[in-house]
Amino acid sequence: EQKGGCALYQFTGYLGAFDEDLVREDVDFLVTSCGRYRLESRPYFETVRPEGRRDYQLVFAAGGSFLAGEEGAESRIEAGQALLFRPGEPQRYRYLLSDAPDVCWMHFTGRQAGELLAQNGMAGPLVRAGLRAEYPALFERMIRELQLRRPGFALLCAGCGMELLALMGRAAQQGDASPAGEVMEEILA
């Protein structure tokens, strides 16, 4: 996006209309939108949803950092950390150019979404997932699938979304969310 000399890199895919709050209880798990944002020259980007949304959202700092929470009581979400919003939770987060944010996000729904989070140890809002090459690759695959909508795209997105939650949850629970853990996996392979 280029407006008045301020740039925001956006790579996004949507199941419905832009920013549509889709909730589906007729499926186990469904990714409804996904994206990656980087500030290029735009000074900031902010999202404020006082009433939250009806779906779940995971916002992951793939690089840099971003701020979340009410102004004056904000928390810094660092690279390798994710913020998880549940249905109905107020949302406020902002990206500042000076923090070099590279952020991936996913909205999801389904009758098993909450249970998947619980099974993967994602009880709180902050997930210390670490930096792994798989994360951005999974986000980008979901984005492409949502954009192209080839046969089976919803199933592939659901699989990628569940894999992402499982990998992040594992890393957060085991504390193996480090580059050393990733190197060990490569050695074993």
Side-chain angles (χ1 to χ4, degrees):
E1 174 183 309
Q2 185 80 29
K3 291 182 182 173
C6 295
L8 168 66
Y9 168 82
Q10 294 185 71
F11 182 43
T12 58
Y14 297 88
L15 183 61
F18 169 76
D19 208 29
E20 187 176 0
D21 192 358
L22 297 174
V23 173
R24 296 273 305 271
E25 292 297 325
D26 61 325
V27 295
D28 288 337
F29 185 85
L30 181 70
V31 174
T32 59
S33 60
C34 194
R36 188 168 191 177
Y37 288 172
R38 272 193 312 267
L39 297 180
E40 300 286 329
S41 61
R42 185 175 180 167
Y44 73 95
F45 180 86
E46 184 173 36
T47 297
V48 179
R49 297 180 182 120
E51 305 300 317
R53 287 176 53 116
R54 297 179 308 139
D55 62 1
Y56 293 84
Q57 182 182 16
L58 180 78
V59 185
F60 174 67
S65 64
F66 67 94
L67 298 170
E70 292 302 314
E71 202 165 338
E74 292 175 309
S75 298
R76 182 167 298 281
I77 309 303
E78 303 284 349
Q81 296 179 336
L83 191 57
L84 183 61
F85 293 104
R86 287 173 169 70
E89 291 181 349
Q91 298 181 4
R92 183 176 183 181
Y93 50 93
R94 62 188 175 124
Y95 314 141
L96 303 174
L97 180 60
S98 59
D99 293 334
D102 181 0
V103 179
C104 299
W105 52 268
M106 167 179 73
H107 286 274
F108 57 98
T109 186
R111 63 180 164 251
Q112 293 296 315
E115 181 61 28
L116 282 168
L117 295 172
Q119 288 173 356
N120 287 295
M122 300 171 110
L126 184 66
V127 179
R128 289 178 169 77
L131 294 171
R132 302 179 61 114
E134 292 104 324
Y135 301 156
L138 286 166
F139 279 108
E140 290 184 9
R141 180 158 190 211
M142 288 185 284
I143 294 166
R144 282 191 308 273
E145 290 295 337
L146 286 166
Q147 288 175 340
L148 298 174
R149 295 174 180 257
R150 296 176 291 200
F153 79 94
L155 183 58
L156 285 167
C157 285
C160 288
M162 288 188 287
E163 182 177 356
L164 184 67
L165 294 176
L167 289 171
M168 286 185 170
R170 173 191 288 169
Q173 289 178 63
Q174 292 183 340
D176 67 354
S178 69
E182 195 168 319
V183 169
M184 181 57 78
E185 284 185 28
E186 288 178 28
I187 290 169
L188 290 174

